[in-house]
Amino acid sequence: MICSKDVLTKVLQQMYHHEVAKNKFIRISLNSVPQDFTSDGVLLNRVLVNMLKNALEASDEGSVVEIGSTMYGFDKLRFWVKNENLIPEEVKSQIFQRSFSTKGKGRGIGTYSVKLFGEQYLKGKVGFISNEQERTIFHIDLNV
């Protein structure tokens, strides 16, 4: 069994001193649920680290990137990563495509691997929203 709060803490500790986190803040949502569940902890960590890394790269200096976990429906645990910047409309439809990147050549495997590992191996559902009200939130929903 894995506890969702332990997963969030591990991801935060792993990324706290990473270069992309320099002059930015990572916060675990105070509303995060401490839910026990069964999953592949190594793959889930990779998915969440990639989500967090992308959010940090998209964020301005001094920004806060928030991570958390909530129950979604009756039997789903949602892990999510939120940043304040918006994804341009013309980018949204390409976000999970292999080798697509707004950051230059040789990039673009991050969101692709999030979708691949999250859905094919962890049997979850990966998605995102990006709008003025909620800003940008990437998530993975897992069965509990």
Side-chain angles (χ1 to χ4, degrees):
M1 286 296 231
I2 304 171
C3 178
S4 58
K5 284 228 176 168
D6 293 341
V7 170
L8 295 172
T9 301
K10 182 178 179 182
V11 169
L12 176 106
Q13 290 171 341
Q14 189 172 343
M15 292 301 297
Y16 189 75
H17 293 291
H18 194 283
E19 181 64 26
V20 297
K22 187 177 179 181
N23 299 320
K24 299 168 189 168
F25 303 94
I26 306 168
R27 173 175 65 206
I28 296 175
S29 171
L30 296 176
N31 296 325
S32 294
V33 297
Q35 177 66 46
D36 289 334
F37 66 106
T38 303
S39 187
D40 183 320
V42 173
L43 284 180
L44 179 58
N45 181 268
R46 182 166 178 171
V47 166
L48 295 175
V49 163
N50 280 344
M51 284 183 182
L52 183 55
K53 191 182 291 186
N54 286 340
L56 289 164
E57 286 179 340
S59 297
D60 303 320
E61 281 194 21
S63 311
V64 175
V65 173
E66 191 171 30
I67 61 175
S69 60
T70 57
M71 289 303 295
Y72 185 72
F74 295 106
D75 61 348
K76 304 271 189 245
L77 174 62
R78 173 171 282 185
F79 286 96
W80 52 268
V81 177
K82 177 181 181 177
N83 74 74
E84 293 301 314
N85 289 351
L86 296 176
I87 299 172
E89 287 300 321
E90 64 273 9
V91 171
K92 287 181 181 179
S93 65
Q94 303 174 75
I95 206 85
F96 292 118
Q97 289 180 5
R98 187 175 183 191
S99 300
F100 173 77
S101 175
T102 60
K103 297 181 180 62
K105 193 170 173 79
R107 304 284 308 261
I109 203 71
T111 53
Y112 173 78
S113 69
V114 164
K115 186 92 164 160
L116 176 69
F117 292 142
E119 294 186 355
Q120 296 298 314
Y121 296 100
L122 296 177
K123 303 300 181 206
K125 181 68 178 155
V126 172
F128 73 96
I129 58 167
S130 186
N131 60 48
E132 288 288 340
Q133 297 77 29
E134 299 168 283
R135 308 314 288 177
T136 297
I137 304 171
F138 277 80
H139 65 265
I140 179 168
D141 296 337
L142 301 170
N143 291 325
V144 291

